């Protein structure tokens, strides 16, 4: 595993190193598998390192350079999370469009109701705007020019919009939307963590703000 460890606690960020740790090393163990609200296809568990002894060969890059290396790669991770957000929105809008077009209520498809059509139009528009911003970020990334603040803006805005759009789509599914056999239900619970992991929305906003002052 790739592990970020404090190799010199007195040095703050400059005391973090990246270590490649063989999980067969004595002292390494996995704890319980944590019960998450969503993302059930992905296991997340406690990890313990009891007197795990690694030599200098385990170092990835120079000692103390771990934080800097991670900071360099974080825009790509944030971009990946924005991609997942937009993909989820695009799927949700499609599923919901299909559902309201076939679901009959009061003798007509739900899609005949203007309030339903307009809410879905908003979801679609929000998704188009997110996709446009994402495509711009992808272009910057391919050119090696995606900066930290723009990646942070994409991560927080797309994941916040993902949750908003998915919540609205789930509402348009009515009771079906609360049933786990419907993909919208799973997409909705999986969306919640997007605003937390990979850097919370609050921290992303702080990074954007820092670039402005
Ligand atoms: C399913 C899952 C998978 C994960 N996978 C990984 C992984 O693979 N690798 C990894 O390294 N981490 C992973 N994480 C950890 C994740 O990145 C952190 O949980 C996340 O960054 C938030 O940190 P925290 O939990 O310590 O929250 P805290 O720091 O305790 O924050 C709690 C709240 O306070 C807010 N807050 C904190 N500081 C500030 C501030 N300065 N200003 C304003 N608000 C603030 C936060 O935004 C949040 O709302 C994962 C988490 C989850 C749930």
């Amino acid at each position: 595993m790739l592990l970020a460890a404090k190799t010199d606690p007195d040095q703050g960020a400059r005391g973090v190193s990246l270590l490649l740790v063989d999980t067969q090393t004595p002292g390494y163990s996995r704890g319980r598998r944590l019960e998450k609200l969503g993302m059930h296809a992905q296991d997340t568990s406690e990890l313990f390192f009891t007197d795990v002894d690694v030599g200098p060969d385990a170092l990835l890059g120079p000692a103390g350079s771990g934080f800097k290396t991670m900071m360099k790669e974080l825009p790509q991770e944030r971009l990946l999370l924005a991609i997942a957000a937009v993909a989820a929105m695009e799927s949700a809008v499609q599923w919901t469009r299909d559902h309201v077009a076939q679901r009959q209520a009061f003798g007509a498809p739900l899609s005949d109701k203007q309030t339903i059509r307009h809410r879905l139009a908003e979801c679609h528009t929000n998704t188009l705007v997110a996709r446009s911003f994402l495509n711009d970020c992808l272009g910057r990334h391919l050119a090696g020019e995606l900066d930290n603040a723009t990646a942070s803006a994409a991560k927080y805005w797309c994941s916040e919009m993902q949750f908003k759009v998915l919540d609205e789509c789930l509402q348009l599914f009515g009771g079906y939307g609360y049933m786990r056999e419907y993909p919208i239900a799973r997409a909705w619970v999986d969306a919640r963590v997007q605003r937390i992991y990979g850097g919370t929305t609050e921290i992303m906003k702080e990074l954007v703000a820092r670039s402005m002052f």
Side-chain angles (χ1 to χ4, degrees), residues 4 36 38-39 42-44 70 77 193 195-204 206 210:
K36 303 194 293 295
M39 293 285 185
Q42 182 190 86
D43 61 343
T44 304
M70 287 190 288
E77 186 195 21
V193 76
R195 294 158 58 196
I196 297 173
Y197 64 15
T200 62
T201 291
E202 292 76 16
I203 297 298
M204 295 300 98
E206 184 53 29
R210 271 186 214 166

Short mmCIF file of all heavy atoms in Angstrom, two decimals, residues 4 36 38-39 42-44 70 77 193 195-204 206 210, ligand 1:
data_model
loop_
_atom_site.label_atom_id
_atom_site.label_comp_id
_atom_site.label_asym_id
_atom_site.label_seq_id
_atom_site.Cartn_x
_atom_site.Cartn_y
_atom_site.Cartn_z
N ALA A 4 0.95 7.52 3.61
CA ALA A 4 1.53 8.81 4.00
C ALA A 4 1.78 8.75 5.50
O ALA A 4 0.85 8.49 6.28
CB ALA A 4 0.55 9.93 3.66
N LYS A 36 -20.69 1.72 5.86
CA LYS A 36 -20.95 3.04 5.27
C LYS A 36 -22.42 3.16 4.86
O LYS A 36 -23.09 2.18 4.62
CB LYS A 36 -20.06 3.23 4.03
CG LYS A 36 -18.57 3.10 4.31
CD LYS A 36 -17.73 3.62 3.16
CE LYS A 36 -17.84 2.81 1.90
NZ LYS A 36 -17.32 1.44 2.00
N GLY A 38 -23.43 4.46 2.04
CA GLY A 38 -23.50 4.06 0.63
C GLY A 38 -22.16 3.49 0.21
O GLY A 38 -21.36 3.06 1.04
N MET A 39 -21.89 3.49 -1.09
CA MET A 39 -20.64 2.95 -1.64
C MET A 39 -20.38 1.54 -1.13
O MET A 39 -19.28 1.19 -0.69
CB MET A 39 -19.45 3.86 -1.24
CG MET A 39 -19.49 5.22 -1.86
SD MET A 39 -19.02 5.09 -3.59
CE MET A 39 -18.99 6.79 -4.08
N GLN A 42 -17.54 -0.86 -2.35
CA GLN A 42 -16.15 -0.47 -2.06
C GLN A 42 -15.92 -0.67 -0.57
O GLN A 42 -16.62 -0.07 0.24
CB GLN A 42 -16.03 1.01 -2.43
CG GLN A 42 -14.68 1.65 -2.27
CD GLN A 42 -14.81 3.16 -2.45
OE1 GLN A 42 -15.10 3.87 -1.51
NE2 GLN A 42 -14.60 3.64 -3.67
N ASP A 43 -14.98 -1.56 -0.21
CA ASP A 43 -14.79 -1.77 1.23
C ASP A 43 -13.87 -0.70 1.83
O ASP A 43 -12.95 -0.21 1.18
CB ASP A 43 -14.27 -3.18 1.53
CG ASP A 43 -12.93 -3.46 0.88
OD1 ASP A 43 -12.56 -2.71 -0.03
OD2 ASP A 43 -12.27 -4.43 1.30
N THR A 44 -14.17 -0.33 3.04
CA THR A 44 -13.40 0.68 3.77
C THR A 44 -13.21 0.13 5.17
O THR A 44 -14.19 -0.21 5.85
CB THR A 44 -14.19 2.02 3.84
OG1 THR A 44 -14.50 2.42 2.52
CG2 THR A 44 -13.37 3.11 4.52
N MET A 70 1.88 14.76 -2.75
CA MET A 70 0.42 14.58 -2.74
C MET A 70 -0.28 15.85 -3.24
O MET A 70 -1.24 15.78 -3.99
CB MET A 70 -0.06 14.22 -1.34
CG MET A 70 0.28 12.81 -0.95
SD MET A 70 -0.54 12.30 0.56
CE MET A 70 0.35 13.24 1.79
N GLU A 77 -6.97 14.04 -8.62
CA GLU A 77 -7.97 13.30 -7.84
C GLU A 77 -9.28 14.09 -7.80
O GLU A 77 -10.37 13.53 -7.94
CB GLU A 77 -7.48 13.06 -6.40
CG GLU A 77 -8.45 12.17 -5.63
CD GLU A 77 -8.25 12.15 -4.13
OE1 GLU A 77 -7.63 13.09 -3.58
OE2 GLU A 77 -8.73 11.20 -3.49
N VAL A 193 -21.35 11.05 -0.12
CA VAL A 193 -19.95 11.12 0.33
C VAL A 193 -19.10 11.98 -0.60
O VAL A 193 -18.01 12.44 -0.21
CB VAL A 193 -19.37 9.69 0.46
CG1 VAL A 193 -19.03 9.08 -0.90
CG2 VAL A 193 -18.15 9.68 1.36
N ARG A 195 -19.39 14.91 -1.33
CA ARG A 195 -19.16 16.26 -0.77
C ARG A 195 -18.18 16.21 0.40
O ARG A 195 -17.82 17.25 0.96
CB ARG A 195 -20.50 16.85 -0.32
CG ARG A 195 -21.43 17.11 -1.49
CD ARG A 195 -22.88 17.18 -1.06
NE ARG A 195 -23.12 18.22 -0.07
CZ ARG A 195 -24.24 18.28 0.68
NH1 ARG A 195 -25.18 17.38 0.57
NH2 ARG A 195 -24.38 19.26 1.55
N ILE A 196 -17.81 14.97 0.79
CA ILE A 196 -16.94 14.81 1.97
C ILE A 196 -15.54 14.34 1.58
O ILE A 196 -14.53 14.97 1.94
CB ILE A 196 -17.58 13.81 2.97
CG1 ILE A 196 -18.90 14.36 3.49
CG2 ILE A 196 -16.61 13.51 4.12
CD1 ILE A 196 -19.70 13.37 4.34
N TYR A 197 -15.47 13.21 0.85
CA TYR A 197 -14.11 12.66 0.62
C TYR A 197 -13.38 13.41 -0.51
O TYR A 197 -13.99 14.18 -1.25
CB TYR A 197 -14.11 11.15 0.43
CG TYR A 197 -14.80 10.53 -0.76
CD1 TYR A 197 -15.21 11.25 -1.86
CD2 TYR A 197 -15.04 9.16 -0.76
CE1 TYR A 197 -15.82 10.64 -2.94
CE2 TYR A 197 -15.67 8.53 -1.84
CZ TYR A 197 -16.05 9.29 -2.93
OH TYR A 197 -16.64 8.68 -3.97
N GLY A 198 -12.08 13.17 -0.55
CA GLY A 198 -11.28 13.88 -1.55
C GLY A 198 -11.15 15.36 -1.22
O GLY A 198 -10.75 16.17 -2.06
N GLY A 199 -11.47 15.72 0.02
CA GLY A 199 -11.48 17.13 0.46
C GLY A 199 -12.93 17.61 0.52
O GLY A 199 -13.64 17.56 -0.49
N THR A 200 -13.35 18.06 1.71
CA THR A 200 -14.76 18.48 1.87
C THR A 200 -15.04 19.76 1.09
O THR A 200 -14.12 20.51 0.73
CB THR A 200 -15.10 18.74 3.35
OG1 THR A 200 -14.27 19.82 3.81
CG2 THR A 200 -14.86 17.52 4.23
N THR A 201 -16.31 20.01 0.88
CA THR A 201 -16.71 21.25 0.19
C THR A 201 -16.13 22.48 0.90
O THR A 201 -15.65 23.41 0.24
CB THR A 201 -18.26 21.32 0.16
OG1 THR A 201 -18.72 20.30 -0.72
CG2 THR A 201 -18.75 22.68 -0.33
N GLU A 202 -16.15 22.45 2.24
CA GLU A 202 -15.65 23.62 2.99
C GLU A 202 -14.16 23.85 2.70
O GLU A 202 -13.73 24.99 2.51
CB GLU A 202 -15.88 23.41 4.49
CG GLU A 202 -17.35 23.41 4.92
CD GLU A 202 -18.09 22.11 4.57
OE1 GLU A 202 -17.43 21.09 4.28
OE2 GLU A 202 -19.33 22.13 4.57
N ILE A 203 -13.40 22.76 2.69
CA ILE A 203 -11.96 22.90 2.45
C ILE A 203 -11.71 23.31 0.99
O ILE A 203 -10.82 24.14 0.70
CB ILE A 203 -11.22 21.58 2.81
CG1 ILE A 203 -11.36 21.28 4.31
CG2 ILE A 203 -9.74 21.65 2.41
CD1 ILE A 203 -10.75 22.31 5.26
N MET A 204 -12.51 22.77 0.07
CA MET A 204 -12.36 23.17 -1.34
C MET A 204 -12.60 24.68 -1.50
O MET A 204 -11.88 25.38 -2.22
CB MET A 204 -13.35 22.41 -2.24
CG MET A 204 -13.15 20.92 -2.32
SD MET A 204 -11.56 20.41 -2.97
CE MET A 204 -10.68 20.07 -1.47
N GLU A 206 -12.17 26.91 0.73
CA GLU A 206 -11.03 27.61 1.32
C GLU A 206 -9.88 27.69 0.31
O GLU A 206 -9.23 28.74 0.17
CB GLU A 206 -10.60 26.87 2.61
CG GLU A 206 -9.50 27.52 3.40
CD GLU A 206 -9.76 28.98 3.76
OE1 GLU A 206 -10.93 29.38 3.90
OE2 GLU A 206 -8.77 29.74 3.84
N ARG A 210 -8.31 31.07 -1.15
CA ARG A 210 -6.89 31.41 -1.01
C ARG A 210 -6.30 31.89 -2.33
O ARG A 210 -5.39 32.72 -2.36
CB ARG A 210 -6.10 30.19 -0.56
CG ARG A 210 -6.03 30.06 0.94
CD ARG A 210 -5.12 28.92 1.30
NE ARG A 210 -5.59 28.27 2.51
CZ ARG A 210 -5.18 27.10 2.94
NH1 ARG A 210 -4.29 26.41 2.26
NH2 ARG A 210 -5.65 26.59 4.05
C1 LIG B 1 -16.00 6.53 2.19
C2 LIG B 1 -14.76 7.32 2.49
C3 LIG B 1 -13.61 7.04 1.80
C4 LIG B 1 -12.44 7.76 2.04
N1 LIG B 1 -11.32 7.45 1.36
C5 LIG B 1 -10.17 8.07 1.64
C6 LIG B 1 -8.95 7.71 1.00
O1 LIG B 1 -8.94 6.82 0.16
N2 LIG B 1 -7.80 8.36 1.34
C7 LIG B 1 -7.81 9.34 2.27
O2 LIG B 1 -6.75 9.90 2.55
N3 LIG B 1 -8.94 9.71 2.89
C8 LIG B 1 -10.12 9.11 2.61
N4 LIG B 1 -11.27 9.47 3.26
C9 LIG B 1 -11.19 10.53 4.28
C10 LIG B 1 -11.82 11.83 3.81
O3 LIG B 1 -10.99 12.46 2.85
C11 LIG B 1 -12.06 12.72 5.04
O4 LIG B 1 -13.08 12.11 5.79
C12 LIG B 1 -12.44 14.14 4.64
O5 LIG B 1 -11.38 14.81 4.02
C13 LIG B 1 -12.89 14.98 5.84
O6 LIG B 1 -11.94 14.92 6.87
P1 LIG B 1 -12.42 14.50 8.34
O7 LIG B 1 -13.29 13.27 8.23
O8 LIG B 1 -11.22 14.46 9.17
O9 LIG B 1 -13.42 15.67 8.77
P2 LIG B 1 -13.10 16.88 9.75
O10 LIG B 1 -11.79 17.50 9.39
O11 LIG B 1 -13.33 16.43 11.15
O12 LIG B 1 -14.24 17.90 9.33
C14 LIG B 1 -15.57 17.89 9.88
C15 LIG B 1 -16.33 19.07 9.27
O13 LIG B 1 -15.66 20.30 9.60
C16 LIG B 1 -15.35 21.00 8.41
N5 LIG B 1 -14.05 21.65 8.54
C17 LIG B 1 -12.87 21.09 8.94
N6 LIG B 1 -11.88 22.00 8.91
C18 LIG B 1 -12.44 23.17 8.48
C19 LIG B 1 -11.93 24.48 8.22
N7 LIG B 1 -10.65 24.77 8.39
N8 LIG B 1 -12.81 25.42 7.80
C20 LIG B 1 -14.12 25.13 7.61
N9 LIG B 1 -14.65 23.89 7.84
C21 LIG B 1 -13.83 22.94 8.25
C22 LIG B 1 -15.28 19.94 7.33
O14 LIG B 1 -15.50 20.51 6.04
C23 LIG B 1 -16.41 19.01 7.76
O15 LIG B 1 -17.65 19.52 7.31
C24 LIG B 1 -12.45 8.78 3.02
C25 LIG B 1 -13.63 9.09 3.70
C26 LIG B 1 -14.78 8.37 3.44
C27 LIG B 1 -16.05 8.72 4.18
#
